[in-house]
Amino acid sequence: MTEHARQRIPPFMRQLLAVSGVVLYMIGTGANIAYPGVLLEQLRDPQSTLKLTEDHESWIASILGLALISGILAAPFSLQRLGRRLTNQLSTLPAMGGWALMVAAGGPAALLISRTLQGFAMGLQAAAAPVSIAEYSAPKHRGAFLATIAFSFAAGMLVAHILGTLMFWRSAAIACGSFYLVSLILITLSPETPPYLASIGKFNECRKAFRWFRGHDHASEKELEILLNSQKKEVNEVKVNRYRHYRSVIMKPEFYKPTVIMMFMFILFQISGMTVVPSYTVPMMKEVTDGSIEDYTSMLMVDILRFTTAVVSCFVVNKLNRRTVLFLGVIISVVSLLSAALLLYLRDLEYIPEQYKWVPVIPTLGYIFGKTLGILPIPWTIAGEVFPLAYRSLGSGVSGMFLSLMFFVVVKTAPTSFREIGVNGTFCVYAICISICGIFLYFLLPETKGKTLYEIECHFKGIDCEMIKTDGTEHDNMLELVKVEVGRDDGE
């Protein structure tokens, strides 16, 4: 292929194509999370032929969390043995099967099986999405591309609620499931990620894929050479003493430090109400508004704010430091939750006049804004950056377990929490938990903006080396260091 032919499609557009396949999948994931918000409302209609008990409703909303565990457990094996691309492709199949069963469901059992299939697929993708996007992306675009995961969640939630408001729930399920089909097509059009090809010793294929994604400029070629040389060293080490290599993984700081960070990240993600609010938007906002705003209007108001903020976060994450965005979101969320709880408490005591009973809506929307701006995008951004390539699949799986467990616990207990301590008490619990996670992350989380994945790996390894600059200038010290460690080129 000539240089002219190579440049017909800019590298950014090729990265965008690959990322779009994952983004569409995550839109489907957002729809999965939010769909019970409209499904359960329609099934509560006295004229509905499909009847559910309150216990059925809580299981339909929360079973995704349990099913996520099976997908998370399968993810490390799939990502390492099958690769990022094939894992993304295969994960669309149970998702589409789940939506198809949802369309045909005749009773609670079919709905639960449908949600279980969707949850398994979500578990696979929860590990695969940030890893895939990070490995597709150039450092200067990686923050914005990883932030599209947050955008995708918000878009999927908005789409599910709009479709569920305008359409019968079975028709809405067909529309939501169609995102996975388009996702499968786009993923199939993209090659495997270069870091994965390098990690399994396919260095020639890695070169082709890397240049397909990143072009042939000087800075990219330097980064490619470092990637290849560092992975030749890893491959040789594993070949020499594989058992000893894997036994020592858990004790390595470049594995356990990112894993602990992501544990707190995903606990923060779930305990902030990230999946509770979409599943129970209508009953939550009904209590917040005290009937002053129509139910579906308040639901769509929340969705539109979340979607708009998620779009803004794509730019904010790419412009500001990761830590700045995260802690800004944490502070706004905590202050807004406590303010909303206080106003709800005062309203219950009748200290707020009747004409102002809608006032708690303002801090509640502030809470939605804060968690969508910082708490939604940053965990997924960091998840794609902090794990070294050699342990990326395993680390994503281990930390993802906390995501799935917390998903189930928080969503399953939400109806009881709303009933026993009210929305104001639940908001206080969320605020306290967000604060605790935020304090831990303040001391644990390093800044990753603008760094290559190898530079971040060096940070956790404690290697003090010169960093490759992402603006086209570079220092050769790190490249020479890697070459010395490798010793020779292995014929490549």
Side-chain angles (χ1 to χ4, degrees), residues 335-410:
V335 171
S336 298
L337 283 168
L338 294 176
S339 300
L342 177 62
L343 288 172
L344 289 170
Y345 180 71
L346 292 175
R347 191 180 68 189
D348 291 342
L349 295 177
E350 298 183 352
Y351 286 116
I352 296 179
E354 181 71 17
Q355 63 267 32
Y356 297 113
K357 65 181 182 179
W358 56 268
V359 169
V361 173
I362 297 174
T364 301
L365 294 179
Y367 154 61
I368 301 297
F369 171 79
K371 73 185 181 72
T372 306
L373 181 70
I375 299 176
L376 176 55
I378 295 300
W380 296 102
T381 302
I382 298 298
E385 297 178 326
V386 293
F387 289 110
L389 180 55
Y391 320 128
R392 199 163 290 159
S393 302
L394 179 62
S396 297
V398 172
S399 59
M401 288 293 293
F402 285 83
L403 174 72
S404 55
L405 288 171
M406 291 303 299
F407 184 114
F408 173 73
V409 170
V410 174

